[in-house]
Amino acid sequence: MRISYNWLRQYIDLNNSIEDVAQTLTSLGLEVESIDHLGKKFEGFFVGEVLDSQRHPNADRLKLCKVRVSNEGDPLQIVCGAPNVAVGQKVIVGVVGTTVPHNQHDPGAKPFVLSKVSIRGVESYGMICSENELGIGDDASGIKVLESGAQIGTPLADYLGVNDIALEIGITPNRPDCLSHLGIARDLAAALNTKCISPKVKRFDNPKNSVTELAKVNVLNTADCPRYTVRIIQNVEVKESPEWMKRLLNAAGLRPINNVVDATNFVMLEYGQPLHAFDYDHLAQHTIVVKSADKGEKFTSLDGKVHELSGDELMICDGEKSVAIGGVMGGLNSEISAKTSTVLLEAAYFSPVSVRKTAKRLGISTDASFRFERGIDPNITDEASARAAHLIAELSGGTVVAGIIDHYPKKISEKNIALRADRVNAILGTSLTVQQIVKFLASIGINITPGKEKNEFICSIPTFRPDIDQEIDLVEEVARLYGYDNIENKTSGEVMFSAPEHFEQQVFSVRHWCESNGLNEVLTNSLIDTPTAKIFGSDLVTVKNPLSVELETLRPTLLATMLQTIAYNYNHGVSRLHLFEIGTVFSAAVGNIKSTYIEGYKEKNCIGICLSGESNLLSWHEKQRQVDLFDLKGLVLSLLRGIGLDNSDLIYYNAPTSLTEMTIGVEINNTYIGFLGKVKPESLKKFKIEHNVFFAEIDLDLLTKLQSARSYKGFSKFPTVTRDVSFIVKKSVSVGEIEKVMKLAGGLQVTAVTLFDLFEGPALGEGMKSVAFSLKINSIEKTLTDAEIDSMITVIVQSVTKTFEATLRSI
């Protein structure tokens, strides 16, 4: 943002040096990036008078002039090639040693330094300049002739009134209120403990007409245009702006165009409210319609470019056609021209999101869109419109039609935020009083009322500060105005740690167990390609704007990405892979499946365990073998026991939809929490893996809910008795089912049931098998007698033989 120092002084009494002002602004968070003394480039240029002009003795197109640039001393001899130079003219003269901003004879218009030169045998001691050479105009056909009353010897900067200073301020995106001179003045006045005075609007109303009789406004898209106002100025004469306005606009970095357009730009730089002036007579039916663009519509903007619209742009239309892109740029079909006599002035508040998307889509960036994108003050529109309308009337000799059309169906109100003085001091490390805090906030337009609690007050945030949204933002404002340099730099020895949540604690214990039992953790990307995802699931979740086709679908299982890691390691010579990953899997929430965070989608945290390759490291005392399903089963059961979940059941099944072969479901307290099994060959083939892979996936969300606090249970002081028992049963009967029956029949005194022998053979009969178990029996109350143990074994044998039609083989 480029600020004119002279312009700034119209709203605030400044006696400080420009360096002090720059320092104060920077300390407020409005960093001054550069200071440009505008008159400096005109050093060495003075008002002079042509005393004599003769034809050059050696050149027909050159003239030898005598020019006085001071009331003292001799005139300068200057060779001049301008056709319009004449005796008695007041001109601009550059003396030897001066830098001329533009060389109009150089294609690059580079600056050059004047020196004493000999031109066709005649010495020249300076230069009579044109507008173009000085950068104050475009005329390069001849020298710039000044008014006759110009005083000889006056420095050019003083004569032009360009002894201004421009400040380039880096405005952060959260401070749209400072994209104006009044916004900067407001903050500067607060820091300097002085007043900021807003401009007074001069009235040039025509009470004979009413704006509602001359124009109509219909806002169809109120979401993107919450407020739209119209004023009309009649009997306008479009002409050049006065010098004072052109100087201020130039200092602020805008090129003057004409008095109407310049007035709208002036108010935009003054208030931060962009405005647009339409030629009233070019608006069909004298109607304004604010609506979304028609898809495929073509629109020619003021810069002459033709844009094809998508249908999402907000358009300002008349009764027949589009005349402007809302908040971005006007159109050629309604621009102000020399023939304009009546002006329809638009001042509006457009949705920042809508303007940002439109400007980006069309590749247009204007001063207006820059402000609308960041969010202007919706409640300054009326005042800024009145200021611009009456300024246009003043500069053009026109009159403002009485009244205003103001379409503002839902007023955007000020926010109320509670602020605690104790909280301010605690965060900043200060000891500010309530009175000091209130004074700071009131100085930037925040209204204060007492709160419910002691040293609490309610802050009414003006709508020109959309960045203040919560208490901490108000604390920042106090810090800015108090001065960061005034806050003591000290280190506190207090360290506060928040306790981890229950889920985090449980995940930590799971991770710690896996690491302690020889598993290596991997981290993989949750995004995969769609063909791979379809191997592992059907209810897939795809990304609308993927980075690539390889990353367009969220993984339905950890197996999809862990197999990539398995394949990578095998390809790089690793032959023993014991891996685990804790991550998130996704699916569409169809049927009775409940959504997790977003409607229609299911997301859950899981742990995946993959075993492949060798079971043990190469060693002299132990032969290497390949991992099998029993290794994985043992790991999963040990993990559950390790985190305090002993009541687990394994369910053996093989469903065509399962991800694995030899699949075993895992239940805890009759709740299904996951599975384990051998990965199917077709899945391994996709990743070019030639070794068996065993995989388990457990739902961590359910696991942590089922996990309860651990309790200590003492050991029995009495001896443990071991008894073996063997049965002949059908092959279809699982060992797990027999173990459950034996434990149930034996009660709490049966502390362990372990399978130690499994035999199948012709001697047992077709479809039969022999299973032998070792039972550990112990009482925590007494030493069991042989009779008590025999009675217990009898009950266990009867239960097994009756339940499974088994035959006792031996005891």
Side-chain angles (χ1 to χ4, degrees):
M1 175 68 183
R2 191 174 172 88
I3 294 291
S4 161
Y5 186 61
N6 287 345
W7 196 343
L8 200 62
R9 294 175 66 180
Q10 294 181 10
Y11 315 117
I12 179 174
D13 185 15
L14 285 175
N15 296 317
N16 310 64
S17 68
I18 190 63
E19 289 75 17
D20 289 342
V21 171
Q23 177 62 36
T24 302
L25 288 172
T26 301
S27 68
L28 288 169
L30 307 174
E31 183 181 1
V32 177
E33 298 173 343
S34 65
I35 301 175
D36 185 8
H37 294 264
L38 302 181
K40 191 173 182 180
K41 65 179 179 180
F42 296 126
E43 288 183 357
F45 294 96
F46 301 92
V47 174
E49 182 180 10
V50 181
L51 301 179
D52 186 35
S53 178
Q54 303 291 334
R55 188 175 65 83
H56 192 288
N58 301 320
D60 293 338
R61 295 186 179 181
L62 300 178
K63 293 182 179 180
L64 187 60
C65 301
K66 297 289 185 182
V67 183
R68 181 182 296 280
V69 294
S70 172
N71 292 323
E72 300 177 358
D74 298 328
L76 298 178
Q77 178 174 282
I78 298 176
V79 175
C80 180
N84 64 328
V85 65
V87 175
Q89 290 175 334
K90 298 292 179 64
V91 294
I92 301 171
V93 180
V95 300
V96 172
T98 299
T99 300
V100 180
H102 299 98
N103 185 351
Q104 64 186 40
H105 302 294
D106 177 55
K110 296 179 181 178
F112 66 97
V113 179
L114 288 174
S115 59
K116 173 187 171 184
V117 294
S118 177
I119 301 176
R120 296 288 183 95
V122 177
E123 290 185 338
S124 180
Y125 295 89
M127 179 179 180
I128 306 175
C129 304
S130 67
E131 289 182 355
N132 181 267
E133 289 165 328
L134 294 169
I136 60 175
D138 299 324
D139 187 4
S141 62
I143 61 172
K144 171 69 174 177
V145 179
L146 306 179
E147 57 186 14
S148 59
Q151 296 296 315
I152 297 173
T154 302
L156 180 59
D158 293 340
Y159 175 78
L160 295 177
V162 293
N163 49 359
D164 199 352
I165 303 172
L167 301 172
E168 193 67 45
I169 303 177
I171 306 297
T172 52
N174 67 317
R175 292 300 306 274
D177 60 300
C178 288
L179 294 173
S180 65
H181 283 75
L182 274 172
I184 297 292
R186 184 190 301 115
D187 263 26
L188 190 57
L192 298 177
N193 196 24
T194 186
K195 290 184 178 181
C196 176
I197 302 173
S198 297
K200 293 182 179 179
V201 178
K202 295 181 180 179
R203 296 287 175 176
F204 298 89
D205 290 342
N206 180 4
K208 295 181 180 180
N209 294 325
S210 171
V211 66
T212 55
E213 298 173 356
L214 301 177
K216 294 181 180 179
V217 173
N218 186 14
V219 180
L220 302 179
N221 186 347
T222 56
D224 292 339
C225 180
R227 188 176 193 183
Y228 193 92
T229 70
V230 162
R231 276 190 165 90
I232 293 177
I233 307 96
Q234 294 178 319
N235 305 318
V236 168
E237 180 186 354
V238 179
K239 56 185 178 181
E240 192 174 343
S241 296
E243 288 298 324
W244 67 266
M245 176 171 282
K246 290 195 292 185
R247 284 198 297 268
L248 292 177
L249 290 176
N250 276 319
L254 284 186
R255 181 176 62 88
I257 299 173
N258 58 55
N259 54 350
V260 175
V261 175
D262 291 350
T264 61
N265 286 335
F266 182 88
V267 173
M268 177 185 70
L269 294 176
E270 185 175 48
Y271 281 87
Q273 167 72 59
L275 305 106
H276 189 73
F278 295 100
D279 189 321
Y280 173 81
D281 294 323
H282 289 174
L283 298 175
Q285 302 171 23
H286 299 154
T287 298
I288 291 291
V289 180
V290 184
K291 66 182 187 68
S292 297
D294 296 326
K295 188 174 183 179
E297 175 186 354
K298 288 187 169 55
F299 179 76
T300 305
S301 53
L302 276 172
D303 56 5
K305 295 181 180 179
V306 179
H307 303 277
E308 184 172 342
L309 306 179
S310 67
D312 295 326
E313 299 85 359
L314 181 71
M315 301 302 293
I316 311 302
C317 310
D318 61 13
E320 298 175 353
K321 61 187 179 299
S322 296
V323 293
I325 305 172
V328 180
M329 186 178 284
L332 277 177
N333 53 12
S334 60
E335 69 172 333
I336 299 298
S337 67
K339 297 180 181 179
T340 299
S341 61
T342 303
V343 172
L344 184 143
L345 182 65
E346 165 198 280
Y349 174 76
F350 298 116
S351 162
V353 174
S354 172
V355 174
R356 189 182 306 117
K357 287 182 177 179
T358 297
K360 185 176 181 181
R361 186 184 302 115
L362 300 180
I364 303 175
S365 180
T366 61
D367 290 311
S369 68
F370 186 80
R371 286 163 174 80
F372 280 125
E373 286 174 11
R374 285 153 179 79
I376 66 167
D377 181 6
N379 294 318
I380 200 68
T381 305
D382 184 16
E383 183 179 342
S385 173
R387 168 73 164 158
H390 293 93
L391 194 56
I392 291 172
E394 178 184 357
L395 301 181
S396 66
T399 55
V400 180
V401 175
I404 180 176
I405 297 176
D406 189 354
H407 189 276
Y408 196 12
K410 188 175 181 180
K411 181 178 174 60
I412 300 174
S413 303
E414 298 179 341
K415 292 175 286 189
N416 291 322
I417 302 174
L419 179 65
R420 297 161 291 173
D422 294 342
R423 184 64 175 161
V424 173
N425 288 320
I427 292 176
L428 300 183
T430 55
S431 55
L432 297 171
T433 64
V434 172
Q435 291 74 18
Q436 287 176 299
I437 295 172
V438 169
K439 183 179 179 182
F440 287 140
L441 297 178
S443 68
I444 54 173
I446 297 176
N447 293 322
I448 309 293
T449 55
K452 296 180 180 179
E453 305 293 333
K454 183 180 178 182
N455 292 340
E456 179 191 62
F457 33 91
I458 306 301
C459 301
S460 182
I461 312 302
T463 50
F464 61 74
R465 290 301 302 273
D467 59 307
I468 300 178
D469 197 48
Q470 49 189 325
E471 185 181 36
I472 192 65
D473 298 324
L474 290 168
V475 175
E476 180 186 356
E477 292 303 300
V478 173
R480 282 196 319 118
L481 297 168
Y482 178 60
Y484 295 115
D485 293 339
N486 295 324
I487 298 175
E488 183 181 355
N489 186 11
K490 60 182 179 181
T491 303
S492 173
E494 183 180 4
V495 179
M496 299 178 64
F497 296 100
S498 59
E501 296 180 354
H502 175 72
F503 178 79
E504 293 175 343
Q505 292 177 326
Q506 305 297 65
V507 170
F508 175 80
S509 64
V510 170
R511 177 179 283 111
H512 179 70
W513 188 95
C514 291
E515 292 170 347
S516 301
N517 285 271
L519 297 177
N520 295 311
E521 185 173 11
V522 297
L523 297 173
T524 60
N525 198 331
S526 59
L527 291 168
I528 57 176
D529 61 284
T530 301
T532 300
K534 287 181 178 179
I535 298 174
F536 302 99
S538 56
D539 302 324
L540 303 179
V541 180
T542 57
V543 180
K544 284 187 176 181
N545 55 340
L547 295 174
S548 65
V549 292
E550 289 81 14
L551 301 171
E552 65 178 354
T553 304
L554 289 163
R555 62 187 175 194
T557 172
L558 293 175
L559 179 61
T561 50
M562 291 190 76
L563 285 179
Q564 296 176 355
T565 303
I566 294 282
Y568 180 86
N569 278 273
Y570 271 130
N571 291 336
H572 287 77
V574 181
S575 58
R576 183 176 182 272
L577 296 168
H578 294 198
L579 310 176
F580 81 96
E581 178 175 9
I582 295 174
T584 312
V585 298
F586 308 85
S587 64
V590 295
N592 295 325
I593 299 177
K594 292 183 179 180
S595 303
T596 309
Y597 303 111
I598 300 175
E599 190 65 32
Y601 299 99
K602 175 70 175 176
E603 177 181 345
K604 62 181 180 178
N605 296 291
C606 294
I607 177 173
I609 299 176
C610 268
L611 300 181
S612 186
E614 288 124 10
S615 172
N616 54 304
L617 296 172
L618 183 64
S619 172
W620 63 270
H621 65 84
E622 185 181 12
K623 291 184 179 181
Q624 282 189 311
R625 67 175 180 84
Q626 297 293 305
V627 294
D628 56 26
L629 185 62
F630 297 104
D631 292 312
L632 182 61
K633 174 185 172 184
L635 268 174
V636 171
L637 292 177
S638 297
L639 168 61
L640 296 177
R641 285 194 295 268
I643 60 176
L645 293 173
D646 298 325
N647 192 19
S648 59
D649 292 321
L650 300 181
I651 305 168
Y652 301 87
Y653 68 92
N654 270 317
T657 57
S658 63
L659 298 176
T660 55
E661 299 177 332
M662 304 164 60
T663 304
I664 302 173
V666 182
E667 284 189 356
I668 297 178
N669 297 332
N670 298 320
T671 300
Y672 179 84
I673 65 165
F675 68 92
L676 59 99
K678 178 183 176 183
V679 180
K680 293 181 177 179
E682 53 264 34
S683 300
L684 298 178
K685 185 177 180 181
K686 165 69 178 177
F687 297 92
K688 299 180 180 179
I689 299 173
E690 299 177 353
H691 302 266
N692 287 333
V693 177
F694 299 91
F695 174 72
E697 186 170 276
I698 306 296
D699 187 332
L700 276 181
D701 294 326
L702 287 176
L703 195 68
T704 54
K705 289 178 181 178
L706 294 170
Q707 190 174 0
S708 58
R710 301 184 188 185
S711 60
Y712 170 76
K713 182 180 180 181
F715 291 100
S716 173
K717 299 177 182 179
F718 304 99
T720 298
V721 177
T722 301
R723 292 288 181 91
D724 295 340
V725 61
S726 176
F727 298 98
I728 298 174
V729 296
K730 295 177 182 179
K731 290 183 180 180
S732 60
V733 177
S734 71
V735 171
E737 291 173 344
I738 299 175
E739 288 180 348
K740 288 181 183 179
V741 170
M742 295 174 77
K743 288 180 180 179
L744 184 64
L748 296 176
Q749 292 178 337
V750 177
T751 58
V753 177
T754 305
L755 175 73
F756 69 87
D757 184 62
L758 178 65
F759 173 75
E760 296 179 9
L764 300 176
E766 184 71 23
M768 304 301 286
K769 65 181 178 182
S770 171
V771 288
F773 297 92
S774 177
L775 284 71
K776 289 187 177 181
I777 303 172
N778 175 269
S779 173
I780 200 168
E781 298 173 347
K782 64 177 183 175
T783 299
L784 296 174
T785 64
D786 288 341
E788 289 173 327
I789 294 172
D790 291 341
S791 176
M792 188 182 304
I793 293 297
T794 300
V795 173
I796 291 173
V797 170
Q798 290 176 351
S799 296
V800 172
T801 55
K802 182 179 180 181
T803 304
F804 302 107
E805 298 179 356
T807 302
L808 177 65
R809 190 176 185 189
S810 65
I811 296 180

